[in-house]
Amino acid sequence: MDFQQLADVAEKWCSNTPFELIATEETERRMDFYADPGVSFYVLCPDNGCGDNFHVWSESEDCLPFLQLAQDYISSCGKKTLHEVLEKVFKSFRPFYCDIIDTQHCRSLWHTA
């Protein structure tokens, strides 16, 4: 899958989450995501668009602990798609969001997760 197709998948995923795709870098195959209040991460995509070699990371030390679940998922057996990786990241941040917002709003944000 070429990088633009992956970016399209990411944009579609963002439309159902609090995250925005704020930057893409085709040369590095990197996509940067952000959501209020200060949640950010990036995904490095493999050349073939699927496989277990996606990489998720954050330059924010506050966000890194929440990405552990997604990192474990990526390194587990089997090929992963970008959508699967992003869904795991989304679920990884659920505790962060639920700690800072009221429960009812939290349920509405995460009803699909």
Side-chain angles (χ1 to χ4, degrees):
M1 185 178 288
D2 74 9
F3 187 76
Q4 184 55 52
Q5 289 174 310
L6 291 169
D8 293 343
V9 168
E11 285 285 354
K12 184 175 180 182
W13 175 80
C14 287
S15 69
N16 295 314
T17 72
F19 291 96
E20 293 179 52
L21 179 60
I22 59 168
T24 59
E25 174 53 54
E26 188 167 1
T27 306
E28 295 180 19
R29 298 186 64 82
R30 177 177 164 151
M31 297 181 196
D32 292 63
F33 298 86
Y34 179 82
D36 285 327
V39 178
S40 62
F41 70 96
Y42 66 85
V43 177
L44 297 178
C45 302
D47 287 336
N48 63 1
C50 65
D52 60 356
N53 54 351
F54 282 97
H55 179 72
V56 295
W57 197 254
S58 179
E59 294 171 1
S60 166
E61 289 186 21
D62 293 337
C63 294
L64 281 175
F66 295 98
L67 291 174
Q68 186 64 50
L69 179 65
Q71 291 167 336
D72 291 346
Y73 175 73
I74 291 167
S75 47
S76 68
C77 297
K79 293 184 177 189
K80 313 297 187 295
T81 65
L82 176 60
H83 187 266
E84 291 168 334
V85 169
L86 292 173
E87 280 297 302
K88 191 57 75 171
V89 169
F90 185 53
K91 290 177 183 177
S92 297
F93 278 113
R94 184 182 307 180
F96 177 82
Y97 271 98
C98 292
D99 282 348
I100 60 170
I101 58 178
D102 68 81
T103 305
Q104 184 176 13
H105 185 61
C106 180
R107 286 188 188 127
S108 70
L109 278 175
W110 302 98
H111 73 280
T112 60

